[in-house]
Amino acid sequence: MHLQDEAATERAGRLLAPGITPGMRVYLSGELGSGKTTLVRALLRALGVRERVKSPSYALVELYVVSSLHLYHFDFSRFEDPLEWADAGFDEYFDGSGVCLVEWPERAAGRLPQPDLEILLSLAGTGRDAQFTAHSEAGARCLKSVSVLNSQEGSS
Ligand SMILES: Nc1ncnc2c1ncn2[C@@H]1O[C@H](COP(=O)(O)OP(=O)(O)OP(=O)(O)O)[C@@H](O)[C@H]1O
Ligand SMILES: [Mg+2]
């Protein structure tokens, strides 16, 4: 999918929302400034998050709760110490019924389980390109709904 401007990245985040189910893991890769946080922020908003979505920093993770759904937004760009992983109890986040949205998953490689959905963002002219890959049934269903919504919006 080509994302010609910031609004297009936000739209992609919105289109993902209806396909997100409890326990899903979505990993976002791509160079600095490729739009990972922009997409996650739009996705969280579409899922009903009302408070300000800030980039996870020192704590590496921000938690949002919508009804009974726990939404974890990780950014592992500053992840260095393997002990941090155990101390923070991250394994539990990834095993439970919460939704994990992860920027810079490669920085925690070897610790993270396989994602349901992988999103690869890259710079393309003044815009961005996004590539979506499903790694599970849940991920495939989510992508299916994105493509249905995308064509519906596109034709209306
Ligand atoms: N499709 C797009 N076209 C042009 N600019 C975009 C697009 N999507 C997002 N941007 C802009 O790119 C900038 C960086 O976005 P963002 O912070 O989401 O990137 P990131 O991948 O999270 O970066 P980091 O690796 O530092 O976490 C923002 O100013 C955002 O508005
Ligand atoms: Mg970011």
Side-chain angles (χ1 to χ4, degrees), residues 32-33 35-38 55-56 73 75 77 103-104:
L32 277 174
K36 302 178 293 295
T37 302
T38 305
S55 217
H73 178 197
D75 182 340
S77 56
E103 296 184 45
W104 294 104

Side-chain angles (χ1 to χ4, degrees), residues 51-72:
E51 68 252 51
R52 197 168 78 88
V53 174
K54 41 187 182 174
S55 217
S57 51
Y58 173 72
L60 304 181
V61 61
E62 290 287 338
L63 165 68
Y64 303 91
V65 182
V66 176
S67 316
S68 60
L69 188 62
H70 286 56
L71 302 159
Y72 300 98

Side-chain angles (χ1 to χ4, degrees), residues 2-10 28-41 55 73 75 77-78 103-104 121-129:
H2 181 66
L3 309 170
Q4 60 177 13
D5 53 19
E6 182 183 6
T9 303
E10 291 171 349
L28 300 100
S29 298
E31 61 206 284
L32 277 174
S34 55
K36 302 178 293 295
T37 302
T38 305
L39 194 151
V40 168
R41 186 176 285 134
S55 217
H73 178 197
D75 182 340
S77 56
R78 290 173 211 81
E103 296 184 45
W104 294 104
L121 291 159
S122 54
L123 305 186
T126 57
R128 311 285 187 266
D129 280 333

Side-chain angles (χ1 to χ4, degrees), residues 88-109:
F90 284 156
D91 276 332
E92 290 169 36
Y93 293 69
F94 284 92
D95 281 342
S97 59
V99 172
C100 292
L101 309 170
V102 183
E103 296 184 45
W104 294 104
E106 43 285 291
R107 300 274 165 93

Side-chain angles (χ1 to χ4, degrees), residues 60 76-84 107 111:
L60 304 181
F76 286 119
S77 56
R78 290 173 211 81
F79 177 69
E80 277 163 19
D81 182 1
L83 288 175
E84 225 180 319
R107 300 274 165 93
R111 293 191 172 72

